[in-house]
Amino acid sequence: MIRLLIPLAGVAVFFVLSWATVRIFQPRDPKRFFLAYALLLLLASALVYVSRWPLDTAEDALGLIGGLLAQLLVCLTMWNAFYSLLWGFSGSMMYDLFNDASLRDREALIKSYAGDGVVDRILARRLPNLVRGGWIETHDQTLTLRPKGRLLALGTMASFKLFSLGMGGGVK
């Protein structure tokens, strides 16, 4: 059981480093930092593990492999959640719908995303998926967040505030 503390510490450090990187340094491509952090922390965890429990038995080796795999999985899950929630178009759209009642009209929402070229085509692909997934529902021209859509909007808003990314997420 105590052997799980090493990957848990690695995951905690990964989160803190990722959070600090995005919040303080605001790189344009943070995934390179995330990858470097994950790999360096895997190496550090392996070194700490081996110094504490030399690989004398198969159990020791399996413990190391299991701990490193668990750490890697959680770090990648955090990384994926970070991109999905904070830079994801659907999360940003839920945030917009939650905070701006004027955008709950479908045409107003489409106009808010209109730009040069094909930007508004994103909505044409996303809205049916969000309806099928049970995130929103449509009545005539009005869009309404369903309970899990509200939950996502609140989680997205909390994440925006935690990481100071501002409206729509992403690093500007």
Side-chain angles (χ1 to χ4, degrees):
M1 184 67 166
I2 192 142
R3 294 179 191 209
L4 288 178
L5 293 178
I6 294 171
L8 288 175
V11 166
V13 171
F14 177 83
F15 178 81
V16 169
L17 287 173
S18 299
W19 178 77
T21 298
V22 170
R23 212 157 154 152
I24 296 168
F25 303 113
Q26 300 181 352
R28 293 197 70 50
D29 191 15
K31 68 179 168 252
R32 292 181 182 168
F33 289 90
F34 298 161
L35 179 61
Y37 297 154
L39 294 175
L40 289 173
L41 288 167
L42 282 172
L43 179 63
S45 293
L47 291 173
V48 169
Y49 186 98
V50 171
S51 70
R52 178 77 170 98
W53 297 284
L55 301 179
D56 295 331
T57 67
E59 181 182 328
D60 294 330
L62 288 174
L64 173 63
I65 292 168
L68 292 178
L69 286 175
Q71 179 177 330
L72 181 63
L73 179 63
V74 175
C75 287
L76 291 176
T77 301
M78 265 194 249
W79 179 351
N80 186 44
F82 180 83
Y83 274 95
S84 297
L85 292 174
L86 302 180
W87 274 295
F89 178 77
S90 296
S92 296
M93 190 165 63
M94 295 294 168
Y95 180 84
D96 291 342
L97 289 169
F98 184 76
N99 285 310
D100 189 351
S102 69
L103 293 178
R104 294 184 189 146
D105 176 78
R106 192 176 116 221
E107 296 306 314
L109 182 65
I110 290 170
K111 285 179 187 172
S112 77
Y113 283 97
D116 295 335
V118 298
V119 175
D120 60 342
R121 290 185 187 172
I122 294 171
L123 288 172
R125 290 189 300 250
R126 296 288 182 153
L127 286 175
N129 291 338
L130 293 171
V131 170
R132 268 193 308 276
W135 299 96
I136 64 174
E137 56 188 40
T138 59
H139 298 287
D140 297 319
Q141 297 293 320
T142 304
L143 303 169
T144 307
L145 290 173
R146 304 219 42 221
K148 70 181 189 177
R150 285 190 183 282
L151 187 61
L152 178 63
L154 290 170
T156 301
M157 183 172 56
S159 296
F160 286 165
K161 290 180 188 264
L162 176 69
F163 287 97
S164 292
L165 293 175
M167 186 66 164
V171 178
K172 312 287 187 270

